[in-house]
């Protein structure tokens, strides 16, 4: 009969304040399960501090130690458990029939509201949506000459309840509470053809695209992606492959700087490269660095012995660990534009909470956003999710100043990486 529902995912909270919670997953294995679990954990604002995974190809056992980031974050643990259960393969007959269909994607809804503009508005709205477990798929934000903002959020519901009137009313009530008297209108409805029109991004200059999607950072100060002095350690990432320690598996060892979402980035890469993990250990951070050991096989059940495949995988992992998120500032006509990009999984899913983190960083700096949009961009080898923000000029932050631009990029990157 398999494992009962209650034992598939167990969450044990820390006995004392500040102690990590332990998430145990015990279920049949499937390709990319680790990636799916890590994405959901990241979506709930949790950081994975340690991890162990073991599988025989049929059954999987995963232990993850997690902490809220920031510590003050309120986590809906019961909802997290349900979301983790939703990506686990069925373990019993009753569990199977309680599972949503994986073949039908979540419906997209259009949240449209108009209100008076103010500093930090976009982040405050985004925070409410995250707390409600509403995932932002696309955004179109426009500021009118009379100081009003028209926002279009294309969202999906992690709880799969947005079709109900109660869930819709709760969403609008929460937004009205945060917007207050400045709210002019708030509407929520099933998205129509306008969603498809927002799939792409408006033209990016060749210079901005080259810098944003380049695989290597530059030390030149004129490049807005150049790392500040204390972040040059990002360049230090080591990936080695060893076939001598196991007769059936290849050992991949990684050493790199600690950052938010690191295990998700590694698991995402393994999933996209069709690499099966038999055993893995994600150790605690030591002096700001992480060590990761993975015993893996190819999809055919064999070790990875081809030197070209080994080199390609090592290079891909280094890129994902060095800079999984790209941050740059460019001129867009007379305006200054902040661009943030992250690779999209082959399944089509983007990275969680990027819009939340970027708007938080800009709110902390006191910088207003004139307009914002999210879209997909294609390079020769992969698909990217691109976030574009036109920033408003201010006396505190003259956007033409190179020092100001570096400060903005640095703060955004730090927030995205959890530093």
């Amino acid at each position: 009969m398999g494992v009962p529902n209650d034992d598939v995912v167990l969450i044990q909270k820390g006995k004392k304040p500040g102690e990590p919670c332990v998430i145990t997953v015990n279920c049949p294995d499937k390709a990319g399960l680790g990636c799916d679990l890590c994405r959901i954990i990241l979506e709930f604002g949790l950081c994975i501090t340690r991890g162990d995974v073991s599988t025989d190809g049929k059954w999987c056992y995963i232990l993850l130690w997690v902490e809220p980031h920031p510590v003050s974050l309120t986590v809906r643990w019961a909802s997290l458990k349900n979301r983790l259960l939703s990506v686990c393969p069925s373990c019993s007959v009753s569990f199977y029939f309680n599972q949503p269909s994986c073949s039908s994607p979540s419906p997209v809804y259009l949240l449209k509201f108009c209100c008076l503009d103010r500093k930090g508005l976009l982040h405050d709205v985004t925070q409410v949506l995250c707390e409600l477990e509403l995932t932002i798929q696309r955004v179109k934000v426009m500021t009118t000459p009379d100081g009003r903002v028209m926002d279009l959020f294309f969202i999906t519901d992690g709880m799969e309840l947005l079709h109900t009137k109660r869930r819709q009313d709760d969403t609008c009530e929460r937004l009205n509470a945060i917007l207050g008297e400045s709210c002019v209108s708030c509407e929520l409805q099933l998205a129509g053809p306008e969603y498809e029109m927002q799939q792409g991004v408006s033209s990016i200059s060749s210079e901005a695209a080259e810098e944003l999607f380049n695989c290597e950072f530059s030390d030149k100060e004129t490049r807005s992606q150049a790392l500040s002095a204390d972040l040059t350690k990002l360049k230090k990432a080591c990936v080695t492959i060893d076939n001598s320690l196991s007769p059936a598996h290849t050992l991949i060892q990684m050493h790199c700087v600690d950052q938010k979402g690191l295990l998700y980035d590694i698991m995402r890469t393994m999933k996209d490269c069709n690499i099966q993990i038999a055993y893995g250990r994600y150790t605690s951070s030591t002096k700001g660095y992480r060590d990761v050991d993975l015993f893996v096989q190819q999809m055919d059940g064999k070790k990875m012995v081809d030197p070209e495949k080994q080199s390609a995988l090592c290079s891909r992992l280094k890129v994902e660990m060095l800079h999984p998120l790209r941050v740059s500032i460019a001129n867009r006509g007379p305006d200054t534009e902040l661009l943030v990009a992250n690779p999209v999984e082959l399944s089509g899913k983007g990275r969680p909470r990027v819009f939340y983190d970027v708007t938080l960083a800009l709110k902390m700096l006191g910088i207003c956003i004139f307009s914002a949009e999210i879209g997909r961009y294609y390079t020769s080898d992969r698909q990217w999710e691109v976030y574009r923000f036109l920033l408003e000029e201010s006396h505190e932050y003259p956007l033409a100043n190179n020092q100001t631009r570096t400060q903005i990029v640095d703060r955004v990157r730090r927030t995205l990486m959890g530093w």
Side-chain angles (χ1 to χ4, degrees):
M1 293 297 292
V3 176
N5 276 14
D6 292 341
D7 295 334
V8 175
V9 176
L10 298 175
I11 298 180
Q12 181 181 350
K13 299 181 183 178
K15 296 180 180 179
K16 300 177 182 178
E19 285 188 350
C21 298
V22 182
I23 298 175
T24 305
V25 179
N26 187 18
C27 68
D29 195 16
K30 73 169 186 178
L33 176 61
C35 173
D36 297 340
L37 295 172
C38 288
R39 186 197 316 109
I40 292 171
I41 289 171
L42 184 60
E43 187 178 333
F44 274 73
L46 295 167
C47 288
I48 300 172
T49 59
R50 286 172 54 198
D52 287 289
V53 57
S54 179
T55 176
D56 60 3
K58 296 182 179 179
W59 202 267
C60 187
Y61 183 76
I62 297 175
L63 268 175
L64 298 172
W65 286 259
V66 302
E67 294 178 351
H69 184 83
V71 179
S72 59
L73 183 72
T74 300
V75 181
R76 300 167 66 171
W77 295 104
S79 186
L80 171 63
K81 179 176 180 177
N82 289 333
R83 292 286 303 283
L84 293 174
L85 277 169
S86 72
V87 297
C88 293
S90 58
C91 303
S92 65
V93 174
S94 61
F95 183 58
Y96 175 83
F97 285 111
N98 287 330
Q99 284 294 295
S101 173
C102 296
S103 60
S104 56
S106 299
V108 179
Y109 289 82
L110 170 60
L111 172 64
K112 178 168 59 176
F113 64 87
C114 178
C115 64
L116 299 179
D117 196 13
R118 61 171 171 81
K119 285 186 178 180
L121 171 66
L122 196 53
H123 176 72
D124 293 343
V125 171
T126 303
Q127 183 172 355
V128 170
L129 297 181
C130 287
E131 291 173 352
L132 290 169
E133 298 178 48
L134 298 172
T135 302
I136 302 171
Q137 303 294 340
R138 300 287 181 273
V139 166
K140 186 69 174 180
V141 176
M142 301 157 285
T143 304
T144 63
D146 61 355
R148 295 188 179 189
V149 177
M150 175 62 74
D151 290 358
L152 305 178
F153 283 83
F154 294 91
I155 57 179
T156 53
D157 185 7
M159 298 175 67
E160 301 287 352
L161 294 173
L162 206 51
H163 63 282
T164 65
K165 186 177 186 302
R166 180 176 179 180
R167 178 73 160 154
Q168 293 183 9
D169 290 345
D170 183 37
T171 301
C172 290
E173 287 175 9
R174 290 284 300 274
L175 287 171
N176 279 314
I178 197 71
L179 297 174
E181 296 180 356
S182 66
C183 184
V184 177
S185 63
C186 181
E187 301 175 19
L188 181 58
Q189 62 191 37
L190 200 62
E194 64 271 19
Y195 175 65
E196 298 299 328
M197 295 172 61
Q198 296 292 331
Q199 291 280 52
V201 294
S202 50
S203 177
I204 299 177
S205 69
S206 57
E207 294 82 3
E210 180 183 1
E211 181 173 353
L212 195 64
F213 304 117
N214 185 24
C215 290
E216 300 293 338
F217 277 134
S218 171
D219 290 321
K220 297 179 182 179
E221 294 181 356
T222 55
R223 305 274 289 187
S224 64
Q225 288 241 43
L227 297 172
S228 54
D230 65 326
L231 295 184
T232 53
K233 64 182 180 180
L234 266 180
K235 287 179 172 290
K236 300 176 183 178
C238 179
V239 182
T240 59
I241 290 182
D242 190 338
N243 276 310
S244 65
L245 297 179
S246 170
H249 299 90
T250 297
L251 171 62
I252 303 176
Q253 294 181 299
M254 290 160 274
H255 176 77
C256 65
V257 69
D258 190 20
Q259 57 199 27
K260 183 169 65 176
L262 175 61
L263 188 57
Y264 165 71
D265 291 319
I266 293 173
M267 292 295 187
R268 169 175 54 82
T269 303
M270 293 297 172
K271 180 181 180 181
D272 287 351
C273 293
N274 291 320
I275 303 296
Q276 295 178 316
I277 300 173
Y279 174 80
R281 172 158 291 180
Y282 183 73
T283 63
S284 301
S285 177
T286 304
K287 296 182 179 180
Y289 282 87
R290 291 275 183 185
D291 288 299
V292 185
D293 298 328
L294 300 177
F295 284 88
V296 304
Q297 290 179 332
Q298 299 178 128
M299 289 298 290
D300 58 8
K302 297 180 180 179
K303 299 168 69 171
M304 181 178 291
V305 295
D306 187 330
E308 290 187 5
K309 290 184 178 179
Q310 291 181 2
S311 178
L313 180 60
C314 288
S315 298
R316 176 76 175 268
L317 285 168
K318 284 183 180 179
V319 168
E320 300 304 334
M321 291 187 294
L322 287 172
H323 47 122
L325 292 136
R326 316 298 174 85
V327 186
S328 181
I329 277 189
N331 292 325
R332 188 175 177 182
D335 300 312
T336 300
E337 182 176 51
L338 174 70
L339 298 108
V340 179
N342 60 268
V344 175
E345 293 179 30
L346 289 182
S347 64
K349 296 179 179 178
R351 188 187 187 91
R353 296 180 76 90
V354 175
F355 197 78
Y356 176 94
D357 286 336
V358 176
T359 54
L360 173 61
L362 294 176
K363 179 181 178 179
M364 292 169 63
L365 288 171
I367 295 177
C368 289
I369 300 168
F370 179 76
S371 71
E373 62 176 296
I374 305 175
R376 298 291 173 99
Y377 187 91
Y378 294 87
T379 57
S380 59
D381 60 340
R382 68 198 318 182
Q383 183 183 11
W384 298 81
E385 199 161 48
V386 180
Y387 301 76
R388 308 182 69 172
F389 302 86
L390 286 183
L391 308 180
E392 289 190 4
E393 189 76 43
S394 68
H395 294 294
E396 296 84 358
Y397 291 95
L399 298 177
N401 185 286
N402 286 333
Q403 184 177 356
T404 297
R405 292 186 171 210
T406 300
Q407 183 180 358
I408 294 171
V409 170
D410 188 66
R411 174 60 70 86
V412 170
R413 184 181 289 121
R414 287 176 182 275
T415 305
L416 287 166
M417 297 301 188
W419 295 325

